[in-house]
Amino acid sequence: MADVLAASQHTSAPIRAASSLRTLALISLAHWVSHLHMLVLPMLFPYLKEKLGVGYVELGFPLTVFAVVSALTQAPVGYLVDRAGARRILLLGLTLGGLSLAMLGVYLTYTSLVVAAVLLGLANAVYHPSDYALLSAHMEESRMGRAFGVHTFAGYLGGAVAPAVMAALVTTVGGSGALIAAGLVGPLAALLLLVGNVPEVPPHPHALKADGTKAKQPNLLTPMLMLLTVFFMLLSLSNAGISSFGVVAFMNGYGISFSTANIALTAFLGASAVGVLAGGQLADRIRHHNLVAAVAYAINAVLVLIITFVSLPAVLLVAIMLVAGFMAGVIAPSRDMMVRNAAPPGAAGRAFGIVSTGFNFAGVVSPLLFGWIMDMNAPRWVFGTSVVFMLLTIVLAFFTEPKKKAA
């Protein structure tokens, strides 16, 4: 009997590992789709402007609607994830976001564009709470940081390939066809999750009383989760100006050519994706994840401060942007581990839903702030302001380590 049990345990380990790997791959695919869908409308601005006969202000309004809807619904969706099931909500989000784009391709008016932005914002609010709840429930504790790293890398990759994907679709099937094709990726990914049998998050023991009835839900509006929400917002603001306005800031403030500025930004974004994978390895080997953010952003603050005040040769500028991007990516898995460690048992969806609103608020504020800086003819302060946000992030990092949980 002992031999049988030992053999059973020995054979079940590879099966569990394969199941975890499949789950990680499929959830990462969903994250890839979410970042692709976020950039579908911006990549089609030239087509939409001509087709609808509107200006860029009118085209920018749906993006603001998208950010506001995501910000307002992220926390409620997190509560829904923990109550109705993360897998179920993720499937609905993929389907809703995809069909909203596909229907826009079938019936394109300015009103339908705004409606699609509302639905996309609601679908976007699903991904972080659902994905992180599923990963927290099904990944091995010793590999959790690497799982978070792969998941974040997939999102970065979705954003990186979006311009090329949309350009290829517009060339082959036209603007409306591109909307339909990009939208159908969502339901297709949902179907793959169903076929791959991604398991639902099981009820947590803390969610039930001894008699089997539901226990009182823990209060998630804790000081620690509020601090982490601000922390997420500052992290996003630190990178938003560089990512969105870096090219025009380099051209207007440093006299750098368009091609060199794009190479520098590509180096920053590409190195961020690689840094995320390295950060996942690091997150599994350390306990004090907040120190990773503090050290990485201290290095970044020095590098970006040099860029702010010194006109560098092109090769050196690209090299500094490469290192800065890598350090920005290293932070991401440790950032996610900080939230997981601060979340009450069985409340990962709600915790990530709350803190992810920091990203959404940054998405609303950053275009206005950095656009105003460019309008004030102070392009170097796109980088200088990023340094200020980095310094604030460093200070806040020392207050964001959860206290040790009682055994």
Side-chain angles (χ1 to χ4, degrees), residues 376-387:
M376 294 297 292
N377 197 28
R380 286 179 180 261
W381 279 99
V382 167
F383 302 97
T385 304
S386 297
V387 171

Side-chain angles (χ1 to χ4, degrees), residues 54 103 217 220 298-299 357 383:
V54 296
M103 293 305 296
Q217 296 298 311
L220 291 186
I299 296 171
T357 58
F383 302 97

